[in-house]
Amino acid sequence: MFEIFLAGGILMWPILACSLIVIAISAERYWTLNPAKIAPKTLLAQVWSWIKNNQLDASKLRELKQSSPLGQILAAGLSNSKHGREVMKDSVQEAASQVIHELERYVNILGTIANIAPLLGLLGTVFGMIQVFNSIMVQGTGNTGVLAGGISVALYTTAAGLIVAIPAMIAHRFFQRRIDSIVVTMEEEAIKLVDALHSDRRVDVKLV
């Protein structure tokens, strides 16, 4: 395997670097993008309990903000709830934008690598084929074994680029779908809180 890696040429090294980046980002995002930690199911019920029992104060807001990304959004809305529905919604949306930006951190890099890795592989193959044709010019076409071996070596980088790009694309789409699902959940929870505080239609929040 190491011999194949070396035979692929110098462009195998950036492809290897891309593969390590994909592994590192995938592991980090899988650990970080945990729906149960980002948007706990019982958090809104806990907040509503504080409101009903008149326990919501500055210390509770700090605790809520530090508890999770959803808590950060809800705390932003509650901090401005006395200024009306629209101000509260704007505060929620501003906090949500910051949270979503954090959730999407590094994910776009996976998409970039998925696009770059095959191009690096193709470039390595082009360089390899140039070397093969140079050999033809020097040695002629009589030694077919050398030519076949040279062509196979030239294709190593293309294969390596695809091996890196395919998992990178899968990981990118997986994490993007997970982020979209988390964002929808947080949006629903924030809307429930806004409607509960600023609407004639009271929203029932189940206390667990």
Side-chain angles (χ1 to χ4, degrees), residues 6 54 62 108 115 133 137 178 205:
L6 293 178
N54 295 320
R62 284 194 300 270
N108 287 335
N115 291 323
F133 285 117
M137 292 177 61
R178 174 168 287 192
V205 180

Side-chain angles (χ1 to χ4, degrees), residues 76-95:
L78 290 170
S79 298
N80 295 279
S81 61
K82 295 180 180 179
H83 300 290
R85 180 186 179 91
E86 293 304 317
V87 175
M88 184 178 181
K89 285 178 60 179
D90 290 342
S91 300
V92 166
Q93 290 174 355
E94 183 177 347

Side-chain angles (χ1 to χ4, degrees), residues 14-30 106-118 160-172 175:
I15 293 175
L16 175 62
C18 287
S19 69
L20 296 177
I21 293 172
V22 169
I23 293 171
I25 291 177
S26 298
E28 189 275 339
R29 287 291 90 184
Y30 187 82
Y106 308 131
V107 172
N108 287 335
I109 296 177
L110 294 175
T112 301
I113 291 176
N115 291 323
I116 288 178
L162 292 174
I163 289 171
V164 173
I166 293 172
M169 180 61 71
I170 293 173
H172 177 262
F175 290 122

Side-chain angles (χ1 to χ4, degrees), residues 56-204:
L56 191 63
D57 54 18
S59 63
K60 290 292 187 183
L61 283 176
R62 284 194 300 270
E63 178 184 341
L64 178 62
K65 185 176 182 179
Q66 297 171 2
S67 65
S68 64
L70 175 59
Q72 181 180 338
I73 294 172
L74 298 182
L78 290 170
S79 298
N80 295 279
S81 61
K82 295 180 180 179
H83 300 290
R85 180 186 179 91
E86 293 304 317
V87 175
M88 184 178 181
K89 285 178 60 179
D90 290 342
S91 300
V92 166
Q93 290 174 355
E94 183 177 347
S97 296
Q98 297 176 357
V99 168
I100 293 171
H101 178 73
E102 289 298 318
L103 295 180
E104 292 177 340
R105 178 181 291 182
Y106 308 131
V107 172
N108 287 335
I109 296 177
L110 294 175
T112 301
I113 291 176
N115 291 323
I116 288 178
L119 296 178
L120 289 173
L122 180 60
L123 182 60
T125 297
V126 170
F127 287 161
M129 293 303 295
I130 290 173
Q131 293 177 357
V132 169
F133 285 117
N134 285 336
S135 298
I136 292 176
M137 292 177 61
V138 174
Q139 301 180 12
T141 59
N143 193 341
T144 56
V146 172
L147 296 179
I151 293 173
S152 65
V153 168
L155 293 175
Y156 287 159
T157 52
T158 295
L162 292 174
I163 289 171
V164 173
I166 293 172
M169 180 61 71
I170 293 173
H172 177 262
R173 293 187 177 180
F174 171 80
F175 290 122
Q176 197 61 60
R177 290 291 299 272
R178 174 168 287 192
I179 290 171
D180 291 342
S181 176
I182 292 172
V183 169
V184 169
T185 299
M186 293 192 298
E187 181 181 279
E188 291 174 348
E189 298 294 275
I191 289 173
K192 287 179 182 178
L193 181 62
V194 173
D195 285 345
L197 294 176
H198 294 287
S199 177
D200 295 334
R201 176 173 58 86
R202 307 300 291 181
V203 176
D204 292 330

